[in-house]
């Protein structure tokens, strides 16, 4: 495994008013690794994702993607550098087809001018074919190749989550951030999601950082788990160690 992490965060801090949402947070994610980020509701997990992806600025700390420091970068620049993300609440375009939802995330590949787009010349037609081919590849990878012309709102919830995952993969990520990928899924869908996440890691060689409340997702596939409570890291280690950690149990279950 490469000694240089895909993602390295050091000393991340974020305040919202008088609330210390994230406090002195450190994180390493290596290539090919799946890392879990868990904790009670309001513990700062999604804020960590927002800091990594530039949605909110850090008050303090540094973030590196491989050898590049991305602290303070704009979200679109971080995405183009190789960071894909899904959200806890689905953010799909209901008026567009499944294919067009994916193609919106491929817009960075549309290397033609606005004027060319209006004219629809040969270069535009070629690029559009390439985008469609790439969209089909992504939808096939997540098992949605049979519903490319369907509207997202007509799909079962589990397939809608797969569509958002396909869009996150459209940036060709080196690092994939998954915010509760199993939320709202039934037990069978949860197991399918676990298998899909593992397969994406193996086939694409990407690093994955995931937030999840389903321990039957976290424990089988994560090599390391970070536990947050009230913005602070209270534990970090292998899943079996985390399961037995008294501080973690107190955070989840109380005294």
């Amino acid at each position: 495994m490469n000694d240089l992490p895909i993602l390295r965060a050091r000393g991340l801090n974020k305040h919202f008013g008088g609330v210390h949402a994230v406090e002195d947070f450190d994180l390493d994610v290596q290539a090919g690794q799946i890392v879990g980020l868990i904790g009670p509701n309001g513990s700062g997990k999604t804020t960590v994702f927002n800091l990594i992806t530039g949605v909110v600025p850090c008050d303090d700390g540094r973030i590196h993607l491989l050898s590049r420091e991305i602290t303070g970068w704009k979200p679109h620049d971080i995405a183009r550098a190789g960071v894909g993300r899904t959200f806890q609440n689905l953010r799909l375009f209901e008026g567009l087809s499944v294919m067009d939802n994916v193609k919106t995330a491929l817009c960075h590949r549309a290397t033609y001018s606005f004027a060319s787009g209006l004219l629809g010349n040969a270069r535009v037609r070629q690029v559009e074919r390439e985008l469609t081919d790439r969209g089909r590849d992504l939808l096939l990878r997540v098992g949605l190749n049979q519903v490319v012309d369907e509207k997202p709102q007509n799909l079962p919830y589990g397939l809608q989550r797969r569509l958002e995952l396909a869009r996150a993969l459209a940036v060709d990520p080196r690092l994939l951030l998954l915010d509760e990928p199993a939320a709202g899924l039934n037990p069978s869908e949860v197991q399918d999601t676990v298998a899909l996440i593992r397969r994406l890691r193996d086939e694409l060689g990407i690093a994955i950082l995931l937030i999840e409340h389903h321990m039957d997702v976290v424990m089988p596939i994560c090599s390391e788990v970070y536990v947050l409570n009230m913005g602070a890291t209270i534990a970090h280690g292998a899943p079996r160690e985390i399961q037995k950690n008294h501080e973690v149990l107190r955070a989840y279950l109380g005294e």
Side-chain angles (χ1 to χ4, degrees), residues 83-111:
V83 179
R85 177 184 182 177
T86 67
F87 292 85
Q88 180 180 353
N89 299 315
L90 293 174
R91 301 187 178 188
L92 303 174
F93 299 116
E94 293 189 353
L96 300 180
S97 68
V98 165
M99 172 61 77
D100 285 340
N101 262 267
V102 174
K103 287 175 71 174
T104 61
L106 291 166
C107 62
H108 61 287
R109 291 172 173 250
T111 54

Side-chain angles (χ1 to χ4, degrees), residues 1 22 27 59 97 158-159 163 181 243:
M1 187 174 291
V22 175
L27 172 72
D59 293 336
S97 68
L159 296 188
L163 176 55
Q243 283 180 309

Side-chain angles (χ1 to χ4, degrees), residues 88-206:
Q88 180 180 353
N89 299 315
L90 293 174
R91 301 187 178 188
L92 303 174
F93 299 116
E94 293 189 353
L96 300 180
S97 68
V98 165
M99 172 61 77
D100 285 340
N101 262 267
V102 174
K103 287 175 71 174
T104 61
L106 291 166
C107 62
H108 61 287
R109 291 172 173 250
T111 54
Y112 52 78
S113 67
F114 178 73
S116 296
L118 291 177
L119 295 173
N121 60 25
R123 171 62 181 161
V124 171
R125 292 193 295 273
Q126 177 188 347
V127 171
E128 286 298 317
R129 286 194 296 270
E130 292 171 356
L131 294 182
T132 298
D133 289 344
R134 177 59 177 157
R136 289 187 185 279
D137 289 343
L138 292 169
L139 291 170
L140 176 62
R141 194 172 290 280
V142 299
L144 295 180
N145 52 304
Q146 300 299 318
V147 292
V148 294
D149 297 321
E150 191 59 82
K151 293 293 194 295
Q153 63 269 30
N154 297 332
L155 299 178
Y157 183 73
L159 296 188
Q160 291 183 39
R161 283 213 162 269
R162 290 189 175 225
L163 176 55
E164 188 175 44
L165 180 54
R167 293 201 313 184
L169 294 173
V171 301
D172 297 321
R174 302 293 301 275
L175 172 69
L176 183 62
L177 306 183
L178 303 179
D179 196 342
E180 297 197 36
L185 303 185
N186 63 42
S188 175
E189 291 171 329
V190 168
Q191 293 308 308
D192 288 344
T193 297
V194 168
L196 176 59
I197 292 171
R198 184 181 283 121
R199 178 167 59 79
L200 291 174
R201 186 274 311 273
D202 293 343
E203 292 179 355
L204 301 177
I206 58 177

Side-chain angles (χ1 to χ4, degrees), residues 227-253:
V227 188
L228 289 177
N229 189 33
M230 300 180 67
T233 304
I234 61 172
H236 166 222
R240 288 186 179 181
E241 298 170 358
I242 297 300
Q243 283 180 309
K244 300 174 183 178
N245 187 292
H246 294 297
E247 184 110 12
V248 174
L249 295 176
R250 279 197 298 272
Y252 273 101
L253 304 176

